[in-house]
Amino acid sequence: MTSWHKRTLFVDIETYSSVDITKAGAFKYIESDDFEILLVAYAWGDDPVRDIDLTDPEERELMQDIIAGLLDVSTLKIAHNNAFERTALGKYAHAYMPPEEWHDTMILAAMNGLPMSLED
């Protein structure tokens, strides 16, 4: 983490789309009219991991703090395969999320000779 970042936000999402991501790719999957983010798991820095069930209307307001962090240039965002998270969360927030504000654990794994998939 570089010194100018005020906070670090770790993010992982679970989603649904009727589009087959393995056949159509992530962008078509996310562009689908029925695409939705179901769950958001997150942690601020070293705080415990928490999750938000976006299928529960009462929990949706909890996303305000996460969206604020995602849109804050001084927040370092970290995700595995962050292009998917950036695109999906950007659609949810109706905002562009610049890749230079994110670190990708999949790329870090590859750079260190480790498997890139979460399964491996």
Side-chain angles (χ1 to χ4, degrees):
M1 183 169 86
T2 54
S3 60
W4 62 270
H5 289 108
K6 291 191 287 185
R7 303 188 294 177
T8 301
L9 176 61
F10 297 88
V11 182
D12 183 43
I13 60 175
E14 299 300 324
T15 62
Y16 169 80
S17 174
S18 62
V19 173
D20 184 342
I21 196 169
T22 62
K23 292 179 181 175
F27 294 105
K28 293 286 184 187
Y29 175 90
I30 293 168
E31 289 173 359
S32 173
D33 290 337
D34 65 355
F35 171 81
E36 65 179 314
I37 299 173
L38 305 172
L39 297 169
V40 178
Y42 68 96
W44 288 105
D46 293 330
D47 290 351
V49 175
R50 298 176 187 253
D51 60 85
I52 300 170
D53 180 353
L54 291 178
T55 66
D56 181 347
E58 293 180 13
E59 289 199 25
R60 286 188 195 134
E61 69 182 50
L62 299 173
M63 277 299 288
Q64 292 176 352
D65 186 44
I66 304 307
I67 296 299
L70 291 169
L71 299 177
D72 182 351
V73 66
S74 68
T75 298
L76 174 63
K77 299 84 164 169
I78 300 176
H80 195 82
N81 187 15
N82 76 41
F84 182 81
E85 258 74 2
R86 283 188 308 101
T87 305
L89 290 163
K91 180 177 181 179
Y92 181 87
H94 306 287
Y96 175 69
M97 299 192 179
E100 59 272 11
E101 296 177 10
W102 291 71
H103 282 192
D104 193 327
T105 57
M106 183 177 74
I107 301 303
L108 292 173
M111 290 171 54
N112 286 286
L114 299 169
M116 294 183 351
S117 76
L118 291 174
E119 289 178 23
D120 295 336

